[in-house]
Amino acid sequence: MGGAVWTTARQSALTAYRRTSATTTPVVIIVSLAGCLLGTIGTINAAQVSGVHRELARTDYVVRPTGTPGLSRDLVDRVRAVPGTTALVTTPTTVFASRPLKPALARHAAAVDSSTLGTVSGLRVSTGTLNGLGPDSIVVSDAWPGSPHTGDRIKVWLADGTPKKLRVAAVLAAGNDDVRAYVDFSYAGTAMAGQIDVQLAVGTDRAKTAAALQAAVHGTGARLATPQQVAAAATDANEESSRNGMLMILGLSILYAVIALANTLVMTIGDRRRELAMLRLAGATTGQVLGAVAVETLMCVAAGAVLGGLGSAISITGSWASLRQLVGATPAVVPWSTLGGLVVVCAVTALLAAVLPAALALRRGGGRSILADISGEAG
């Protein structure tokens, strides 16, 4: 690029490196902080959706309680009785893991139908098989204390305090589910079921079966949903829990950085009055001088946006790589629209804070005074 305005702005930015860095730094903070927070949270939410989709990959419908503490046994029987379906009933429970010389550790668990777990569930298995689950066995996650292997017998206490020594039927791969163990449905006790995953048989009329399932859950305090609706609900819950804290941290930080950006540019105009007057004395018009100030300011904003984008990319990539190990293939979320909007805000704020004071410094009276001082010194 050529021209007097561009050349002047480029040389000014390269020479006044303190002013350039002071202008660029707030933009770097704004873009990188927003990218790191929003991108990481978005990537985590996307991983939650990917994990739910993967766990429900073999499921056609899901029955969950709505406004009730759980699903009644009568409802479970009614859902199981619908023709052309296979139901996986999951009941939340707790299993206490034995640890040498330490108190037993409570772990979230689920009592499930051992006969349908391997057919309906989409759990990721590291070793063993889900079909091996039964009254004498247990399925544990890879984070289980002691890192047991398939075939090992581990000592546990059920939710009612009953001690058991169960064989490990399978070890689950890392995932985003907080359930750390699965036991046979016979250990559910009197607890109410928390979810029913329904799989339709091949050749089943989907519309008729859906209507039969809807009739089965009607008036029971339960809701029939698709896996897509369950995944969307999981995302909404995550966003709701993280939105307020994120907005508070991000909003205050961005506001502070925008104020710092404007303050830096306004304060530096006082030091640049002689520089601007020299440009006028050299023959530049007021428009050219203000154009050079504007171009230099936009260059600093652009440099800050690039550096902030690089920091955001590093953070989001790290989160994405970690989550990929946890839940498998999942997309990385980059908040392009938000980052673009923040860059525009920075650009507008910087232009106003730089060009307006420069125009006031070059107003007719002030400009003549400075030129007179410079001419007198030169004489």
Side-chain angles (χ1 to χ4, degrees):
M1 297 177 65
V5 172
W6 164 257
T7 302
T8 302
R10 179 173 60 85
Q11 290 302 120
S12 178
L14 292 174
T15 303
Y17 58 87
R18 293 179 183 272
R19 183 173 68 238
T20 299
S21 62
T23 305
T24 302
T25 299
V27 182
V28 175
I29 293 174
I30 291 172
V31 175
S32 60
L33 184 62
C36 290
L37 285 179
L38 297 178
T40 299
I41 290 176
T43 302
I44 292 174
N45 289 337
Q48 290 280 354
V49 174
S50 299
V52 172
H53 278 303
R54 188 170 292 107
E55 292 175 6
L56 299 178
R58 303 175 184 176
T59 301
D60 295 288
Y61 293 100
V62 178
V63 179
R64 284 187 165 185
T66 301
T68 59
L71 306 175
S72 66
R73 293 298 176 91
D74 177 64
L75 171 60
V76 171
D77 294 337
R78 290 167 62 179
V79 171
R80 282 174 170 167
V82 174
T85 64
T86 301
L88 172 62
V89 181
T90 302
T91 303
T93 186
T94 302
V95 172
F96 295 86
S98 174
R99 296 187 297 172
L101 304 179
K102 293 182 180 180
L105 181 64
R107 309 297 277 174
H108 292 292
V112 297
D113 296 318
S114 55
S115 60
T116 59
L117 179 63
T119 304
V120 181
S121 172
L123 294 172
R124 299 170 63 204
V125 178
S126 177
T127 60
T129 174
L130 298 178
N131 294 325
L133 181 64
D136 189 44
S137 57
I138 186 173
V139 173
V140 298
S141 72
D142 62 352
W144 190 265
S147 301
H149 300 88
T150 302
D152 292 349
R153 286 198 170 269
I154 58 176
K155 184 178 181 180
V156 300
W157 286 267
L158 302 179
D160 61 358
T162 302
K164 287 285 183 178
K165 203 162 188 179
L166 302 176
R167 178 182 57 84
V168 177
V171 177
L172 301 177
N176 63 345
D177 193 353
D178 62 352
V179 177
R180 299 303 182 189
Y182 291 84
V183 294
D184 186 73
F185 189 72
S186 58
Y187 297 137
T190 58
M192 301 179 71
Q195 179 172 307
I196 305 175
D197 298 342
V198 181
Q199 182 185 74
L200 304 186
V202 178
T204 301
D205 188 315
R206 190 179 186 90
K208 290 183 177 180
T209 305
L213 290 171
Q214 192 67 55
V217 303
H218 180 70
T220 61
R223 174 176 177 265
L224 184 68
T226 63
Q228 292 75 19
Q229 292 172 329
V230 174
T235 304
D236 293 340
N238 293 332
E239 291 179 351
E240 182 66 25
S241 63
S242 59
R243 183 183 296 114
N244 294 334
M246 178 195 67
L247 290 179
M248 180 178 294
I249 296 173
L250 184 60
L252 292 176
S253 301
I254 290 178
L255 178 61
Y256 175 81
V258 168
I259 294 174
L261 173 63
N263 181 69
T264 298
L265 292 170
V266 171
M267 295 296 291
T268 57
I269 288 298
D271 300 330
R272 300 187 67 180
R273 294 178 72 242
R274 290 175 61 86
E275 172 192 338
L276 301 179
M278 285 290 291
L279 290 175
R280 291 284 287 112
L281 187 62
T285 65
T286 300
Q288 288 177 321
V289 174
L290 295 180
V293 171
V295 171
E296 178 186 349
T297 302
L298 291 178
M299 288 172 56
C300 294
V301 172
V306 171
L307 293 175
L310 179 61
S312 298
I314 294 174
S315 175
I316 294 173
T317 301
S319 301
W320 170 78
S322 300
L323 291 168
R324 187 179 176 86
Q325 294 293 325
L326 182 65
V327 301
T330 185
V333 177
V334 181
W336 294 112
S337 59
T338 302
L339 294 181
L342 289 175
V343 171
V344 171
V345 171
C346 291
V348 172
T349 302
L351 284 175
L352 292 176
V355 174
L356 289 181
L360 292 175
L362 288 174
R363 70 185 185 275
R364 188 172 183 180
R368 282 203 304 264
S369 175
I370 296 174
L371 291 175
D373 291 343
I374 296 176
S375 300
E377 293 176 2

